[in-house]
């Protein structure tokens, strides 16, 4: 049974996002969705000695109220160096800084992309590669899209040959599960409870920060603080 998840791309997301990727056979970045301001699309948090800090990719938004994620363009190309400088300053004493910086720094210093969706894709794929996550990552724009909030998701799953659609728990408020059932597609929900704390710098534990915090601090041991096996992440519709 092929497992599929469909969600919007985020910038250097938290560990739960990557567990969702690891739990499915194909992870589809929903880049045809409308870009939302002050959201996770172009920013995320890291931990610093002064508390959490936002890293935000500056994007063009003036007059572009309905632009899609795939059409959202960077407004200042200098963000790459600024973000890497902030990461380097705050994690240079972390246990696994050197190992992570070896492949992460070149991504920041390349400065070769100006579309938000492509940037997010690049970082997501690189992090998956480091973690040994071999899930196929594709884009919703590669599929034929129909109207309807749930209908579109169902049809993408049908085109992808999915037998199980795995969704984030927030979608329970609007997802019409019956439409999936009509197509013979089961629905499962990601369960993000019960994540263990891991060694962090600077005092109290901050769970909802970019996965880069976990990688810099734990390196190859990062997987010990993520959900394994796959089924430990998923709660199935209609099942305990």
């Amino acid at each position: 049974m092929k497992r599929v998840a469909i969600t919007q791309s985020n910038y250097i997301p938290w560990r739960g996002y990557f567990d969702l990727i690891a739990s499915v056979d194909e992870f589809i970045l929903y880049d045809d969705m409308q870009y939302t301001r002050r959201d996770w699309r172009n920013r995320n948090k890291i931990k610093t000695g002064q508390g959490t800090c936002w890293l935000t990719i500056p994007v063009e938004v003036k007059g572009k109220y309905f632009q899609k994620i795939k059409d959202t363009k960077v407004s200042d190309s200098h963000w790459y160096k600024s973000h890497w400088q902030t990461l380097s300053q705050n994690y240079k004493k972390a246990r696994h800084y050197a190992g992570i910086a070896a492949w992460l720094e070149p991504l920041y210093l390349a400065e070769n992309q100006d579309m938000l969706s492509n940037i997010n894709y690049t970082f997501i794929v690189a992090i998956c590669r480091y973690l040994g996550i071999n899930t196929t990552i594709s884009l919703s724009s590669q599929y034929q899209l129909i109207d309807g909030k749930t209908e579109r998701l169902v049809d993408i799953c049908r085109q992808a040959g999915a037998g199980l659609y795995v969704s984030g728990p927030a979608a329970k408020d609007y997802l019409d599960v019956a439409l999936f059932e009509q197509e013979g597609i089961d629905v499962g929900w990601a369960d993000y409870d019960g994540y263990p704390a891991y060694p962090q710098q600077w005092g109290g534990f901050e769970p909802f920060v970019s996965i880069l915090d976990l990688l810099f601090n734990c390196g190859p041991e990062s997987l010990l603080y993520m959900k394994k096996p796959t089924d430990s992440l998923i709660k199935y519709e209609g099942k305990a």
Side-chain angles (χ1 to χ4, degrees):
M1 181 171 62
K2 183 177 180 179
R3 304 177 183 211
V4 169
I6 306 170
T7 192
Q8 298 171 61
S9 70
N10 290 354
Y11 173 53
I12 52 172
W14 78 303
R15 56 180 161 169
Y17 191 100
F18 289 92
D19 271 329
L20 179 58
I21 296 176
S23 74
V24 297
D25 302 296
E26 183 176 359
F27 186 81
I28 301 173
L29 294 169
Y30 207 0
D31 61 343
D32 278 278
M33 284 290 287
Q34 182 179 334
Y35 168 79
T36 48
R37 301 187 188 190
R38 293 181 291 277
D39 211 336
W40 301 104
R41 309 292 83 79
N42 67 317
R43 65 178 188 168
N44 222 302
K45 293 180 179 180
I46 63 169
K47 190 179 181 188
T48 76
Q50 292 73 47
T52 57
C53 166
W54 285 104
L55 291 182
T56 303
I57 300 174
V59 296
E60 297 178 359
V61 294
K62 187 175 182 180
K64 300 184 178 183
Y65 304 109
F66 305 107
Q67 68 177 335
K68 297 177 180 179
I69 297 171
K70 68 176 184 177
D71 299 322
T72 302
K73 190 173 183 179
V74 170
S75 61
D76 182 355
S77 62
H78 297 297
W79 75 270
Y80 282 98
K81 290 182 180 178
S82 174
H83 283 206
W84 178 249
Q85 183 178 32
T86 300
L87 287 166
S88 182
Q89 288 174 344
N90 286 284
Y91 289 104
K92 61 185 177 182
K93 293 184 179 180
R95 182 181 174 192
H96 295 279
Y97 173 79
I100 302 304
W103 57 266
L104 186 62
E105 182 178 12
L107 296 183
Y108 277 102
L109 300 188
E111 300 187 45
N112 58 357
Q113 298 187 78
D114 61 357
M115 302 302 291
L116 177 63
S117 183
N118 294 339
I119 292 166
N120 288 348
Y121 178 88
T122 296
F123 280 96
I124 289 169
V125 168
I127 293 168
C128 283
R129 187 181 301 117
Y130 177 79
L131 292 171
I133 297 173
N134 298 315
T135 299
T136 298
I137 300 178
S138 51
L139 305 173
S140 63
S141 56
Q142 296 170 336
Y143 288 89
Q144 293 184 353
L145 303 176
I146 65 173
D147 293 333
K149 198 164 191 177
T150 298
E151 289 84 352
R152 177 178 290 187
L153 296 175
V154 172
D155 197 60
I156 292 174
C157 286
R158 180 191 60 77
Q159 293 178 60
L164 172 67
Y165 173 64
V166 184
S167 174
K172 288 184 178 181
D173 294 336
Y174 64 81
L175 199 70
D176 188 346
V177 174
L179 294 179
F180 284 89
E181 294 174 344
Q182 290 171 14
E183 291 290 334
I185 301 170
D186 293 332
V187 174
W189 304 101
D191 178 11
Y192 297 128
D193 292 333
Y195 273 107
Y198 58 85
Q200 277 183 339
Q201 302 179 102
W202 304 301
F205 184 70
E206 291 284 353
F208 302 113
V209 291
S210 166
I211 195 171
L212 295 185
D213 183 84
L214 172 62
L215 300 184
F216 278 125
N217 285 302
C218 299
E221 298 171 357
S222 296
L223 289 172
L224 298 176
Y225 302 96
M226 297 176 70
K227 293 208 171 185
K228 300 290 180 182
T230 293
D231 281 333
S232 68
L233 180 79
I234 304 172
K235 287 186 176 180
Y236 294 94
E237 182 67 20
K239 301 180 182 179

